[in-house]
Structures are given as C-alpha cells and as structure tokens.
Amino acid sequence: MYKVNTYHQDEGAVDLPTCMYKLANVHRSAADVQGAGECPALQNLESRQTEILKRLYELKSVVDGLSKTVLTPDADLDVAEINHACLLPTIHTAANLESVLGKSSGVLRDIVINASPSEVPLSLLVLHGLLCEQYKVLSTVHVHSSAQNVPSKLWNCLGEGNHCHSRRESQLGFTLVWKDVHKPQMKFSIQSMCSIEGEGNVARFLFALLGRRYDAVTSTRIDNWVDVAIFQLKKGSSKEKAAVLRSLNSALCKNPWVVGVDLTLADVVLYCALRQAEIDGFPANVQRWVKSCENLACFNLALKLLK
C-alpha cells in the first residue's frame, strides 16, 4: 500500500527471553562452600579443638601408665572389709586430763550444764559416770528459779559419792543446773568458749574428755548413730523408731556393741534414747545389748531415774 523506512539497525539476531524475570541464585555452589570453610575464625576453632583432644589423649595415656606402676592395695577394699577392720580395738585412753585439754593453769576445769527437768538428758548422766571412773570429779546439782516443781530424785541425780572430793583435790568440776531451757546447754570455759547446745553435741564433748581415739570410719559411724538416736529414735515417728530398731538389731547381730567390740558414745546415746522412747518389746539382739549396758556401773544413775 505504502512503504516506510526501517527504524532499527540490523545488527544480528535478537536473544529472546526464556523466562518472565530473573532472580539471584540462593543456592551455593561447591566452590562457595569450599571458600567458606577457609574462614579464619572457623579454622582457629577447629585447631583449638584438635589441640585439646590431643592433650586429653596424652593425659589419659599418662594416667593409664601410672595406674600400672603405683600399687594401691586399699583400692579394692569393700565395705565388709572396712567394717571388719573397725571391730579391732582402736581405743586409747588418756592417762590424765591434761593430755586431752592441755596443761592446767591451776584453776579447776568446771563444766556447767543447763538442762530442763521435763526432759532429762540421761546420756549426760551416763557420761558423768564414765568421767568419774577416770577422773576425780567434783559434782554438784543446782535448781534455777525458772524451774518449778523439780522432783526430789533429780536433786541427787549425780550420786552421793562424788562430793567427797574437795575442790583442790578434784581434776574436773561437773555442775548440773535444772533450768527452764529448750535444750541442754553447756559452758566449759566462759571466757574463751561459746555455749554448746543440744544433748548430742554436749555428749560428744564429754565423751571426748575420756581421751579415746578412733579411725575416721569408726568416728563417722559413731556420729551417725548419735544423730539417729537424737533425731529419729527420740523425736521421730513410730515408723522411724521401728526402722531404727531394725537397723540396730542388724548392727548387733555380729558385734557385742553398736560400733565394734567396745562401748562407745553411740551405745550411751542410743540406750538412753531407746529407754526414753517408751517402745514396747525389743528384738533379741537389742535385748542382749540393753542388758549389757545395764550391767555397767556408769548406767546406774540413769536406771534409778527411769524407775
């Protein structure tokens, strides 16, 4: 119909698009991953980990080598062997009070104990008897104004034979004051020592004055039984008391005393707590042990108060 001039230059074929629009590639190629692995921070972390593992392996090899060269004959001991070792008599009694407390300055060492007449600490009376067997003890009993209606038998709870020593002849003073207190309190040195509270803690101190020494295992077992007597047998529920009786009967199956072959603090505190717990009927081993305790002279004062 008519002709027009061309409006574009013929420079070759035109590349037609194969997609509507293009986006940046979100996938990383293998080359990119390899480049990322060469990050200095990651390389330092890997090298530190490798070094730590290497040192751990070296230490393990050193320990393995030492275990083959060092002899440890006690490493394979079981509980039975330890308990058997504790049956051996390991008690050593001091010859005098100075070997336990040091040299005296010439002043009588006086123990003052405050206790409530409504809850008599029988174990402290038994320990008083043990102290009298070893030392010359000046024993006195007082009643504080806060304590009302104190029974007459508590006035002589420390016995009559301990007043024969004069203060100059005595090695130790033992003063018991019946007072309205929540739990037993003891003062030994008023200037340099705070008060000791609780029947179990006071009993531990008094028993230590006897100068008896035990190994670590025996001492731990004694302390455990003292805590059991105070917190479970004396203050626990009926179920706790029954469990303690079973454990005590089992401990006395092969031993004449609770811990080993000699009387210890555990026997004193357990016996007194057992008698004050008002339990009806004891197992056979416990009955035998109770009779053995009552045959000792140091338990006489406690027996008189129980009757």
Side-chain angles (χ1 to χ4, degrees), residues 129-285:
L130 290 173
L131 290 172
C132 291
E133 293 177 0
Q134 186 166 326
Y135 305 116
K136 295 180 180 180
V137 181
L138 178 63
S139 306
T140 53
V141 179
H142 301 283
V143 177
H144 193 264
S145 59
S146 61
Q148 303 295 330
N149 301 324
V150 178
S152 58
K153 61 182 180 180
L154 295 182
W155 285 83
N156 298 321
C157 61
L158 297 183
E160 298 288 347
N162 297 305
H163 301 283
C164 58
H165 303 298
S166 65
R167 191 170 183 87
R168 180 175 298 179
E169 295 174 346
S170 301
Q171 297 175 285
L172 187 66
F174 195 102
T175 303
L176 178 59
V177 181
W178 295 117
K179 188 177 180 180
D180 185 15
V181 291
H182 178 64
K183 52 187 174 182
Q185 303 171 347
M186 192 207 77
K187 276 289 188 72
F188 180 69
S189 177
I190 298 186
Q191 289 80 11
S192 60
M193 178 179 176
C194 62
S195 61
I196 299 176
E197 296 187 351
E199 183 178 354
N201 295 327
V202 176
R204 288 182 174 96
F205 180 87
L206 297 179
F207 193 81
L209 296 180
L210 299 174
R212 303 183 181 182
R213 300 290 181 268
Y214 304 94
D215 56 67
V217 175
T218 305
S219 298
T220 303
R221 295 175 63 196
I222 293 174
D223 279 338
N224 177 67
W225 277 114
V226 171
D227 290 338
V228 167
I230 297 297
F231 297 107
Q232 297 183 27
L233 190 57
K234 195 172 183 180
K235 301 178 181 180
S237 62
S238 57
K239 291 184 178 180
E240 289 178 322
K241 294 178 182 179
V244 173
L245 271 182
R246 291 193 296 269
S247 300
L248 182 59
N249 188 65
S250 177
L252 294 169
C253 182
K254 297 181 180 179
N255 303 336
W257 300 100
V258 177
V259 181
V261 295
D262 294 288
L263 178 76
T264 65
L265 179 62
D267 298 283
V268 175
V269 180
L270 277 169
Y271 171 83
C272 297
L274 189 65
R275 295 302 303 267
Q276 290 180 310
E278 299 180 354
I279 299 176
D280 297 331
F282 299 146
N285 295 328

